[in-house]
Amino acid sequence: MSLSVPIVDVGTPSPEFQGWERAEVRFHGFAELPAEAGDFKESSEFTCLGHQWTLKIYPGGTANSDEGMVALFLRNMTNKGIKIDLGFSVKDSNGKDRTHNKSYLGTNFAAESGNRKPNFSRHSTILDHLIEGSLVIEVRMRLAEPAKTIPSPFIPENPACNAIQKMFMDEKSSDVVFEVQHRNDGESNPEKKAKMSPTTFYAHRLILQTCAPQLAEMCGGPMENGSSPPVPISIPNVTPKIFHHILNYVYGGEMA
C-alpha cells in the first residue's frame, strides 16, 4: 500500500528542498515476510513525477547484499525513461527518519526498468522501528538537473591565413610575375600559336620561399629596393588553368 505525502512549504524553500515529490510505502507484517536471500514483496503502483512506480523489498537481501542487509528495488512502470535524484528513509511512529539512506543523484531509469539498492539497511535495525508491525518507507525523488555545459573558451580566429589568401594575384603588392603561355596542341600554324598572349600571374617572393621553394628558386636572388618592375618568368609545359590552381593552393586556397 502506498500513499502520496502532501508537502506544505512555509516561506521560500532552498534549492535543496525544491522539486521533491514523496510517496509513503507501507509493508505490513514485515517481520513475518520470508527472509531468505532473493525473497521479496512488491508494492502496488504509486505515482511520482508523472511516472508509475513499484517498490520491492528483499528482507533477506539479494545475492549482492552484505549479510544481514535488506535490499530495495525501485521499478519505473512507465514506458518512458526518466533521470531523477532519489532517496529512501524509514519512518518511525512520530514520522522521523530512523534509517536514512542517502540520496542518489542523477539515477537513470529506462522505460519499464528498475534500480536496485542491495544494502539499504540492516534487518535488525528495521525491526526496531516498525509501526504496529508495519515498515514505512518514504520514497522521495525529483528530476535530476541537466548537466551544466561549460562554455568553450573564446579563441579568436587567426587572420593570417585570410590575409595571405587575399594577396593572391594582387598586382600592387607583388614582386614576382609569372607568364604562362596558352597551349593549343591542336593548332598546327606556328604563327597563330605565337600570337596567343600569355596569362600573367602575380606572386610574392616571401610566400613562395615558404610555401613553394621550387617556384621561388626560379625567381633568382632578392630584389633591391627601388629596382624596376620584376621581369616576367616564363612557366613552360603547363596550362594557365592548372598553374592558377597551383598558385592558389600555395596561397592557402583549396585545390579544386
Side-chain angles (χ1 to χ4, degrees):
M1 176 180 180
S2 64
L3 297 173
S4 296
V5 179
I7 300 172
V8 179
D9 290 315
V10 179
T12 303
S14 69
E16 178 61 26
F17 288 94
Q18 293 178 6
W20 288 99
E21 292 189 14
R22 293 169 170 83
E24 194 172 273
V25 183
R26 301 174 182 177
F27 292 94
H28 302 294
F30 176 79
E32 286 73 42
L33 294 178
E36 295 293 329
D39 291 337
F40 67 87
K41 185 71 173 180
E42 185 171 15
S43 74
S44 57
E45 293 188 13
F46 59 94
T47 302
C48 269
L49 301 176
H51 283 240
Q52 295 297 114
W53 308 85
T54 63
L55 182 65
K56 289 182 181 180
I57 192 163
Y58 296 76
T62 64
N64 296 322
S65 300
D66 295 336
E67 186 176 355
M69 298 298 290
V70 174
L72 294 179
F73 183 82
L74 182 66
R75 181 177 178 83
N76 173 25
M77 305 298 291
T78 307
N79 60 356
K80 182 179 180 181
I82 189 172
K83 184 177 182 180
I84 62 173
D85 297 335
L86 172 67
F88 306 95
S89 60
V90 171
K91 298 289 186 179
D92 66 9
S93 57
N94 296 317
K96 293 183 178 180
D97 290 344
R98 290 304 182 183
T99 300
H100 177 72
N101 200 266
K102 68 179 181 179
S103 297
Y104 299 88
L105 303 180
T107 304
N108 282 303
F109 284 84
E112 300 180 353
S113 69
N115 192 286
R116 192 185 310 275
K117 306 304 178 188
N119 294 303
F120 170 59
S121 178
R122 298 201 66 83
H123 189 272
S124 58
T125 301
I126 290 179
L127 290 177
D128 291 338
H129 298 295
L130 298 179
I131 303 173
E132 301 295 330
S134 298
L135 170 61
V136 180
I137 298 179
E138 181 186 86
V139 182
R140 58 189 176 278
M141 60 182 73
R142 68 179 176 185
L143 292 174
E145 293 185 2
K148 295 181 179 179
T149 57
I150 301 175
S152 301
F154 171 70
I155 302 177
E157 184 179 353
N158 191 328
C161 292
N162 288 334
I164 292 175
Q165 290 178 17
K166 289 180 180 179
M167 293 172 65
F168 175 59
M169 291 294 287
D170 181 29
E171 180 179 0
K172 186 176 181 179
S173 63
S174 68
D175 55 7
V176 175
V177 177
F178 293 107
E179 286 187 348
V180 180
Q181 186 69 47
H182 287 268
R183 296 178 58 182
N184 191 348
D185 297 333
E187 180 57 63
S188 58
N189 190 330
E191 293 183 0
K192 288 186 178 181
K193 283 187 177 183
K195 289 180 181 180
M196 298 177 66
S197 60
T199 298
T200 303
F201 294 89
Y202 301 97
H204 304 79
R205 188 181 300 265
L206 179 61
I207 294 176
L208 296 179
Q209 289 173 342
T210 304
C211 303
Q214 290 182 327
L215 289 177
E217 290 177 0
M218 302 174 64
C219 302
M223 293 179 60
E224 297 180 0
N225 292 334
S227 61
S228 58
V231 177
I233 301 167
S234 180
I235 303 295
N237 302 322
V238 67
T239 65
K241 182 178 180 180
I242 292 178
F243 190 75
H244 180 278
H245 289 317
I246 294 173
L247 202 58
N248 180 54
Y249 184 75
V250 169
Y251 277 75
E254 295 183 359
M255 184 67 75

